[in-house]
Amino acid sequence: MFQLMRHGRRAVSSTLAISVVALSALASPVLAAGKTITAVMHSDLRVLDPIFTSAYISRDHGYMVYDTLLATDSNFKVQPQMADWKISDDKLTYTFMLRDGLKWHDGTPVTAEDCVASLKRWAAVDGMGQQMMLFTASLEATDPKTITLKLKEPYALVLDSIGKPSSRVAFMMPKRLAETPVDKQIPEQIGSGPFKFVQGEFQPGVKSIYVKNTDYVPRKEPASWTAGGKVVKVDRVEWITMPDTQTALNALQSGDVDFMENLALDMLPTIEADKGLKVDILNKFGFQTGARMNFLHPPFDNVKVRRAAFLAMKQKDVLDALIGNPKFYKTCAAAFICDTPFATDVGGETLAKGGDMAAARKALAESGYDGTPVVLMAPGDVLTLKAQPIVVAQQLRDAGFKVDFQATDWQTVVSRRASMKPPKEGGWNMFITNWVSADASNPISNVAVGGQGKTGGWFGWAEDAKVEQLKDAFVHATSLDDQKKIAAEIQKEAYDQVLYMPLGQFQIPSAWRKSISGVIDGPATPVFWNMEKSE
């Protein structure tokens, strides 16, 4: 993914009960032992399997508990992490050698067999992993510390795929866990990463606890994005759930919380005036927000209905509600992110000009739409996801759709979107999510434009043979110009079939107390190694 890149405000409050419980967790006697960083993350954590879901909170949990064979540094360069590698002269054989000192949290050694099983599970659901496996002749453990990947033909994105920093990440786990079917969650949290998950203190909706893995042997290189030495400098990290941003800000200012991942922009003046706080944008690449439909059930199994919805989308209205300040957002018709090598408006002309409601109403009237309600899942507990469903629901209604707006929380969305059942049986028709821009920057990493259907496709299960053929042509292209042309064709097809509806790009700042130092930036933040606490 990064090889390709180198070519080139507050709303629904939580209940008072949740806030009180969360704050009371901060007073736990356990905190007296060693240094603890307390953080309010962008979402509650409920799904603990970072391969089962592409949700970023599960990815963040993954980086705490698990490690990766390779990683990407701030120069977009893939680096060794758990393993070094060599490539044969004919570019057909990749040999990965595990470094010394790797142990699972249960004390057993990390083996090549564990890693092979982990790679296969990851590759079954990740877009870049799936593409890599199409070129793979064999993937096996040739001795306890050696993983051998043999290709049918050269494939330039092997290292970028295994070392990519964001969702889904090729996290390594013991073979017994990695052999869990991809449609089921792993039963326990045993990794080899810098932190251990404290299952006994886990309270979904309240807190998630991690302690330093004292057996972890960091690499010697400086920490850089997800690469380098993952040196843990505190004893404990607590993620405290506080859906109400004002409650979280109060806790940050009082010192009960050390770190707050996402800020409402109307909080900035207060935070910037507080001499005890620091504010910064950790993910400079930002995010793309967008809507995904379910292609299995009415009304969006009808492409004409999908096109009507696409015409109704007005990005600026969504971004004004989500962010408000144009300094932190950008309307963008590019599926593969504006200001990147693959940016184009092709097929997205109505997105670029701000929607076309008259055309949307006309298209819906001619589509055969029978009034089937659109079940739109709307999480109210995540700052960066609560505004979009409200605006999109109104845009759909203005176009003539009936909308069943189902208020929920993000972790329910994360779980429910994996269901292929009809909406009346607990399924869904639409949800809105955010992508780290780096995850959406090319046709291989951007799973929202995939066409694999029920076999390996992303939630919504769009089936489009033409897109898959074009993706194959993209990875075989030998020049950037050819890749750009193919990417434009993929976007045109994706928009024509409405595989995905981009709703714009944005950045969101984080804040932390100045007693915290060593905060790492990058496209997969926050991470908690390298962080220090001075008080």
Side-chain angles (χ1 to χ4, degrees), residues 1-8 76 78 128 131 155-157 160-161 336 339-342 438-446 471 474-480 482-484 487:
M1 168 176 61
F2 285 100
Q3 181 185 64
L4 296 174
M5 289 179 64
R6 286 196 297 270
H7 285 314
F76 302 99
V78 176
M128 293 191 77
Q131 194 69 42
Y155 182 58
L157 298 181
D160 289 281
S161 300
F336 306 120
D339 304 318
T340 68
F342 305 116
D439 282 345
S441 61
N442 70 73
I444 307 306
S445 64
N446 190 331
K471 284 168 58 180
F474 179 89
V475 297
H476 282 93
T478 57
S479 72
L480 179 58
D482 286 342
Q483 287 180 332
K484 287 180 178 180

Side-chain angles (χ1 to χ4, degrees), residues 2-272:
F2 285 100
Q3 181 185 64
L4 296 174
M5 289 179 64
R6 286 196 297 270
H7 285 314
R9 73 190 308 237
R10 209 176 298 170
V12 184
S13 295
S14 64
T15 63
L16 179 61
I18 291 179
S19 298
V20 169
V21 172
L23 286 168
S24 68
L26 302 177
S28 169
V30 181
L31 299 184
K35 290 185 177 181
T36 297
I37 290 178
T38 305
V40 176
M41 302 292 281
H42 71 273
S43 168
D44 176 29
L45 174 68
R46 293 181 188 271
V47 180
L48 301 178
D49 186 343
I51 305 301
F52 178 81
T53 181
S54 56
Y56 288 134
I57 191 65
S58 301
R59 174 206 67 188
D60 298 341
H61 165 78
Y63 272 116
M64 300 292 278
V65 176
Y66 304 97
D67 211 344
T68 57
L69 292 178
L70 314 177
T72 301
D73 68 15
S74 60
N75 294 314
F76 302 99
K77 186 176 180 181
V78 176
Q79 299 286 1
Q81 188 58 36
M82 292 172 70
D84 208 332
W85 71 86
K86 62 182 180 181
I87 306 172
S88 63
D89 292 340
D90 62 7
K91 311 297 185 186
L92 292 178
T93 302
Y94 287 70
T95 305
F96 302 93
M97 296 78 68
L98 294 174
R99 64 185 176 97
D100 295 333
L102 299 176
K103 291 194 299 184
W104 301 115
H105 294 161
D106 60 8
T108 58
V110 174
T111 70
E113 284 191 347
D114 296 318
C115 298
V116 166
S118 297
L119 286 171
K120 288 181 177 179
R121 186 171 191 256
W122 158 77
V125 292
D126 176 73
M128 293 191 77
Q130 289 169 340
Q131 194 69 42
M132 184 185 78
M133 293 305 288
L134 294 177
F135 287 78
T136 298
S138 64
L139 174 61
E140 58 185 356
T142 45
D143 68 43
K145 296 186 69 173
T146 304
I147 303 147
T148 303
L149 171 65
K150 293 186 177 181
L151 302 176
K152 303 170 188 174
E153 59 181 293
Y155 182 58
L157 298 181
V158 169
L159 301 182
D160 289 281
S161 300
I162 297 173
K164 73 188 185 84
S166 192
S167 188
R168 290 177 173 108
V169 179
F171 290 120
M172 297 297 104
M173 52 187 65
K175 181 181 178 183
R176 71 179 188 278
L177 300 182
E179 289 179 338
T180 304
V182 293
D183 61 347
K184 299 184 183 302
Q185 294 191 51
I186 56 175
E188 55 182 326
Q189 300 299 300
I190 301 294
S192 64
F195 293 91
K196 293 182 177 181
F197 182 65
V198 185
Q199 184 70 51
E201 295 189 59
F202 179 46
Q203 297 179 43
V206 180
K207 64 179 180 178
S208 306
I209 308 298
Y210 306 86
V211 295
K212 178 178 181 178
N213 177 13
T214 56
D215 291 331
Y216 184 75
V217 180
R219 297 191 65 86
K220 298 188 183 333
E221 302 88 350
S224 177
W225 282 6
T226 56
K230 298 180 178 180
V231 180
V232 176
K233 300 179 180 180
V234 296
D235 300 284
R236 180 178 171 100
V237 175
E238 299 201 354
W239 294 357
I240 305 299
T241 300
M242 290 185 189
D244 178 46
T245 52
Q246 187 60 55
T247 300
L249 177 57
N250 293 343
L252 183 68
Q253 290 185 296
S254 68
D256 290 320
V257 162
D258 300 303
F259 181 95
M260 186 174 173
E261 182 180 358
N262 286 344
L263 303 177
L265 292 179
D266 56 4
M267 293 178 168
L268 279 179
T270 300
I271 293 172
E272 291 171 343

Side-chain angles (χ1 to χ4, degrees), residues 260-265 268 279-282 328 507-511:
M260 186 174 173
E261 182 180 358
N262 286 344
L263 303 177
L265 292 179
L268 279 179
V279 61
D280 198 5
I281 294 173
L282 296 180
F328 295 95
Q507 293 177 316
I508 196 80
S510 301

